[in-house]
Amino acid sequence: MSGPILVFDSGIGGLSVMNEIRKQLPQHNYCYLFDNARLPYGNLSEQELIVGCVALITHHARRLNASIVVVACNTASTLVLPLLRQQLTVPIVGVVPAIKPAAMLSIKKHIGLLATPGTVKRDYTQALINQFAGDCKVELFGTSELVLLAEQYVAQQQIDMDKLNEILAPIAASNIDVLVLGCTHFPMIATEISHYLGGGVTLLDSGEAVAKRVRFLLSKESNGNKQLQACYTKDINEGLKATLVDYGFSDFSLVTITD
């Protein structure tokens, strides 16, 4: 019997991707592994991010006998996928900002990318823009603060709406008509983002595209009892645990690389 689908992120953002995968493959077991001890990834050096992610993911993929690994983090995906594919034999799926569909959808040919500073500055991101959005004006908005606001929201804490509005104000003033949510945390607060920006801005993320890729690579057959396990590198508060229970998680573990 194959092991669970392993979904990895720095925090809770990857749940937005896992939800889309579960719609496509509801009968599979899942392990959601998040490295909240080092959150937010956008503030880490490339080397620190790569070494920590690769060690954590490879160890737990082998421990769980994972059937596939989904790196549900844009920042990590721009850096760690080649190394993971060298060390693991199971399929590795990453996420990339939805630049291509945004460029195709935009009427104004004026789009925005909202992501962590790390994703915004990567050569990988610029290559996507050059390849798929050459006919568009592309505005880049980098923020790590929004990651933390999304974490607070999912942990059932009151978020600072003034800070949220401050982050979104430059986007509202930019006159774009499509905004790419280039961090998997941001779909968790898409309603709040859309409310501020208004109906004239369409939000896009990569969750559904990732789910389709995972479904293509895996069988739809059941591989267990539909268990959902959450593993994290730093203790979580009761609000976040309650949210995870609402998502269907019943198994919780504080882990390290050597567990």
Side-chain angles (χ1 to χ4, degrees):
M1 183 181 295
S2 60
I5 296 172
L6 176 59
V7 181
F8 172 81
D9 189 21
S10 59
I12 51 75
L15 290 174
S16 65
V17 175
M18 196 187 82
N19 278 348
E20 294 295 333
I21 300 172
R22 288 180 68 194
K23 291 176 186 177
Q24 301 279 338
L25 295 165
Q27 299 302 318
H28 281 258
N29 294 331
Y30 290 82
C31 176
Y32 186 66
L33 172 65
F34 57 108
D35 188 16
N36 54 332
R38 301 197 304 153
L39 182 77
Y41 273 7
N43 292 343
L44 299 181
S45 70
E46 290 191 7
Q47 188 61 22
E48 184 181 4
L49 190 153
I50 291 169
V51 171
C53 284
V54 171
L56 186 64
I57 294 169
T58 55
H59 175 79
H60 288 287
R62 291 166 179 154
R63 179 180 68 85
L64 296 162
N65 189 30
S67 57
I68 191 169
V69 173
V70 181
V71 181
C73 172
N74 287 270
T75 303
S77 291
T78 60
L79 295 170
V80 305
L81 299 185
L83 284 173
L84 288 176
R85 288 172 177 143
Q86 288 175 15
Q87 296 194 31
L88 295 172
T89 57
V90 297
I92 311 293
V93 178
V95 296
V96 297
I99 298 294
K100 182 178 180 179
M104 297 173 63
L105 182 63
S106 177
I107 302 299
K108 296 180 179 179
K109 295 302 175 183
H110 188 185
I111 67 176
L113 169 64
L114 178 63
T116 64
T119 298
V120 164
K121 71 181 182 182
R122 295 276 187 270
D123 291 342
Y124 183 90
T125 302
Q126 190 57 53
L128 286 175
I129 294 170
N130 293 341
Q131 183 176 3
F132 297 116
D135 61 341
C136 294
K137 180 180 180 181
V138 182
E139 308 269 7
L140 301 177
F141 305 97
T143 173
S144 292
E145 291 178 298
L146 196 59
V147 173
L148 301 179
L149 291 181
E151 287 279 331
Q152 292 170 2
Y153 178 82
V154 176
Q156 302 183 13
Q157 298 173 2
Q158 188 70 34
I159 65 173
D160 186 340
M161 295 304 296
D162 289 337
K163 176 57 66 175
L164 177 65
N165 295 344
E166 178 185 329
I167 294 168
L168 298 177
I171 303 174
S174 67
N175 200 36
I176 62 171
D177 63 349
V178 181
L179 179 66
V180 177
L181 301 181
C183 171
T184 55
H185 278 77
F186 300 163
M188 310 299 286
I189 51 172
T191 299
E192 288 72 21
I193 294 172
S194 185
H195 182 264
Y196 183 86
L197 296 179
V201 179
T202 300
L203 305 182
L204 286 183
D205 66 77
S206 302
E208 185 177 357
V210 172
K212 289 179 179 178
R213 178 62 178 165
V214 173
R215 181 179 178 181
F216 173 78
L217 293 167
L218 288 185
S219 167
K220 292 179 64 177
E221 296 298 320
S222 173
N223 69 346
N225 300 315
K226 295 195 293 183
Q227 296 175 340
L228 272 67
Q229 177 185 15
C231 298
Y232 33 87
T233 56
K234 180 182 177 181
D235 279 322
I236 60 175
N237 63 32
E238 289 303 313
L240 179 52
K241 189 170 185 178
T243 297
L244 290 169
V245 170
D246 289 342
Y247 271 81
F249 287 91
S250 57
D251 188 350
F252 302 90
S253 301
L254 177 66
V255 300
T256 65
I257 293 173
T258 57
D259 284 338

